[in-house]
Amino acid sequence: MTSNYPDVSERLANTLAMWQVLHFEHELEVLALFAQGLVSDEDVRAAEQHTKFADKILDGSYEILSIEEWQPNQKIAYLMPEDMRPCGAEKLRNYQAFPYELLRWNRTSRRVFHLPHSLEAMLAAAELPDMRWSDVLWPFESFIISLEKPLIMAHPADGIDQRLDAVMVTRSQRTDGTPQVLFRWLHVPAKPGKRYGFTGLEIAEFRKLKKKKPRAAVKLMARKARELNRDYTHQQGSYNAVLRIGGANDAIIVEPETLRTAHGGVPDGYGGVYTDESTRSYYEGLSVTIRIVVGWMLYLETLSEKSIAWRVPTPTGPRMTVGGAPAIITEPDHICDIVGKGRIDPSEVTSEPNRRCSKGYVRPHWRRAHYKRPRGSAPDAPKTVRVPPVLVRADLVPLYGIIGGTRTVIIAEE
């Protein structure tokens, strides 16, 4: 049985913290340009909008918009002097899709699947001949896979190995409607157990200092950056990839060299300078990631939603509640927390209908997509009707709040 469970909540929170720090750097740069008369009041206000992001995740009336929705003004980069580059806007290119990915994960599943090393190794070596992306049943529009044994990929700039033990997978589409898959790898921290970022009080202090004592605001922002960089050799969550799928790109490609050729030799991500060696390492890591992700989705297809034996352990800590509904998150500081726990044990798969561990009350959660038999068909008829993901007990989720989420541990087969 596996015991090395990456703290995905911590990984996500620190990725969000790095995104925040870079945005605060961008704020200071916009303010400096404003003092020189190079940007407007509107530009200054726009640079401050990022602190509303957590509230938007909790706001049920806020729709999932485009990837460009939370981006800094890239024109700022061209106004910055050469000795101050790369600037905050340029550094944020590696996080261009992150707000969209985090929002989509929060709204469509909040699910983490933890794979034991035995299953991870089996999937990483899988061949997927003649398969197409349209053949795969996506359990959720966005989900996270955590790994017992981290992937190793060379950093694009310095060639130093990165240890990555979780990947966020998001199905999306470009502005022209072309479907795509977004991958974001999460780094293993040098010292786990620490969360960073700006609290509401620190944000208010930063804004106050920015207006009256800009140098003090710079020191506050720099201190946060140093804290993060102390425990992360590379910026947490900065390594990402975009894979075009559908149409002429619908075939699932897993061979590293073929992937490299299909994308012109340069990773199809958001920013970064790549050497030949790091490009090779990138595509090898992407190849393994695609095999694991697609293999896991195919594996899930073999497990009936009603025939899986689920175990939900008794919570050991306080449960977040609102209005009597457990595991509902309503505080911005907790949008990366994963409250629920469960497991899938292949040895306990049963054909008994409706066998579930929890009885009576069912907490709000996303039920994954699956196939069922057509209505009125024979009991042994093939399952051909696709059932999309659905939010169970949506009536218990308030307008301002999100479900607690679930980390599902997959038990290795003996």
Side-chain angles (χ1 to χ4, degrees), residues 312 319-328 356-365 392-397 403:
V312 182
R319 301 182 73 180
M320 302 176 196
T321 62
V322 60
I328 296 295
R356 308 288 294 200
C357 276
S358 63
K359 298 179 180 180
Y361 175 79
V362 178
R363 68 180 178 87
H365 67 281
V392 178
R393 293 312 306 268
D395 58 301
L396 295 179
V397 182
I403 65 172

Side-chain angles (χ1 to χ4, degrees), residues 128-187:
L128 304 170
D130 303 323
M131 283 205 65
R132 306 183 70 81
W133 285 100
S134 55
D135 296 331
V136 180
L137 176 67
W138 284 74
F140 305 101
E141 294 298 295
S142 175
F143 57 93
I144 296 173
I145 293 177
S146 66
L147 307 171
E148 184 176 16
K149 183 176 181 180
L151 299 175
I152 306 297
M153 297 171 69
H155 190 270
D158 53 28
I160 297 176
D161 285 344
Q162 303 175 97
R163 300 177 68 240
L164 310 151
D165 62 358
V167 58
M168 178 183 284
V169 187
T170 309
R171 184 164 65 165
S172 177
Q173 61 182 20
R174 296 173 181 266
T175 53
D176 63 0
T178 304
Q180 61 185 3
V181 181
L182 309 176
F183 298 100
R184 184 166 301 276
W185 292 278
L186 305 180
H187 293 75

Side-chain angles (χ1 to χ4, degrees), residues 71 94 108 119 143-144 164 205 226 240 261 276 291 302 331 339 365 413:
Q71 303 314 309
N94 285 327
T108 64
L119 180 57
F143 57 93
I144 296 173
L164 310 151
E205 179 186 2
R226 284 196 303 271
N240 62 106
T261 301
D276 288 342
R291 294 172 197 264
T302 68
E331 295 295 329
V339 179
H365 67 281
E413 295 187 69

Side-chain angles (χ1 to χ4, degrees), residues 55-68:
D55 289 306
K56 291 298 185 182
I57 284 182
L58 292 168
D59 184 357
S61 65
Y62 179 73
E63 298 180 1
I64 297 177
L65 302 180
S66 67
I67 290 175
E68 292 75 21

Side-chain angles (χ1 to χ4, degrees), residues 21-284:
V21 166
L22 294 177
H23 263 289
F24 281 120
E25 181 179 341
H26 177 63
E27 274 194 49
L28 291 169
E29 293 165 347
V30 173
L31 184 64
L33 293 174
F34 176 74
Q36 301 173 49
L38 298 176
V39 296
S40 65
D41 283 330
E42 184 179 348
D43 292 319
V44 174
R45 289 192 296 272
E48 297 177 347
Q49 294 303 304
H50 66 98
T51 51
K52 299 179 180 179
F53 176 61
D55 289 306
K56 291 298 185 182
I57 284 182
L58 292 168
D59 184 357
S61 65
Y62 179 73
E63 298 180 1
I64 297 177
L65 302 180
S66 67
I67 290 175
E68 292 75 21
E69 181 73 11
W70 292 92
Q71 303 314 309
N73 190 342
Q74 292 296 331
K75 77 176 184 181
I76 302 301
Y78 299 103
L79 297 173
M80 296 299 296
E82 286 297 324
D83 61 350
M84 295 182 64
R85 299 181 66 178
C87 63
E90 291 172 305
K91 295 174 185 176
L92 278 163
R93 287 177 183 169
N94 285 327
Y95 296 91
Q96 185 173 355
F98 174 66
Y100 174 86
E101 293 163 342
L102 186 60
L103 178 65
R104 199 160 177 80
W105 176 74
N106 269 286
R107 294 296 183 79
T108 64
S109 80
R110 303 204 91 244
R111 187 65 66 92
V112 176
F113 297 105
H114 177 72
L115 306 187
H117 177 50
S118 57
L119 180 57
E120 174 190 344
M122 180 186 74
L123 297 178
E127 298 294 334
L128 304 170
D130 303 323
M131 283 205 65
R132 306 183 70 81
W133 285 100
S134 55
D135 296 331
V136 180
L137 176 67
W138 284 74
F140 305 101
E141 294 298 295
S142 175
F143 57 93
I144 296 173
I145 293 177
S146 66
L147 307 171
E148 184 176 16
K149 183 176 181 180
L151 299 175
I152 306 297
M153 297 171 69
H155 190 270
D158 53 28
I160 297 176
D161 285 344
Q162 303 175 97
R163 300 177 68 240
L164 310 151
D165 62 358
V167 58
M168 178 183 284
V169 187
T170 309
R171 184 164 65 165
S172 177
Q173 61 182 20
R174 296 173 181 266
T175 53
D176 63 0
T178 304
Q180 61 185 3
V181 181
L182 309 176
F183 298 100
R184 184 166 301 276
W185 292 278
L186 305 180
H187 293 75
V188 180
K191 294 181 180 179
K194 295 182 179 180
R195 288 199 186 190
Y196 302 100
F198 287 79
T199 64
L201 289 176
E202 287 176 321
I203 292 173
E205 179 186 2
F206 175 86
R207 293 271 164 77
K208 183 178 179 180
L209 292 173
K210 189 179 75 167
K211 293 179 179 179
K212 298 183 177 180
K213 299 179 181 179
R215 290 181 182 275
V218 171
K219 288 183 179 180
L220 175 59
M221 183 271 298
R223 176 170 59 82
K224 287 291 185 180
R226 284 196 303 271
E227 290 175 350
L228 272 163
N229 293 330
R230 188 182 303 127
D231 291 332
Y232 289 95
T233 306
H234 300 100
Q235 290 182 347
Q236 172 63 285
S238 60
Y239 218 33
N240 62 106
V242 183
L243 202 66
R244 293 183 292 274
I245 63 175
N249 300 303
D250 199 36
I252 297 177
I253 301 173
V254 294
E255 294 302 325
E257 285 304 317
T258 308
L259 279 169
R260 184 172 181 168
T261 301
H263 291 276
V266 178
D268 190 10
Y270 293 103
V273 178
Y274 299 87
T275 64
D276 288 342
E277 182 63 22
S278 65
T279 300
R280 180 188 61 79
S281 176
Y282 173 94
Y283 282 115
E284 288 176 351

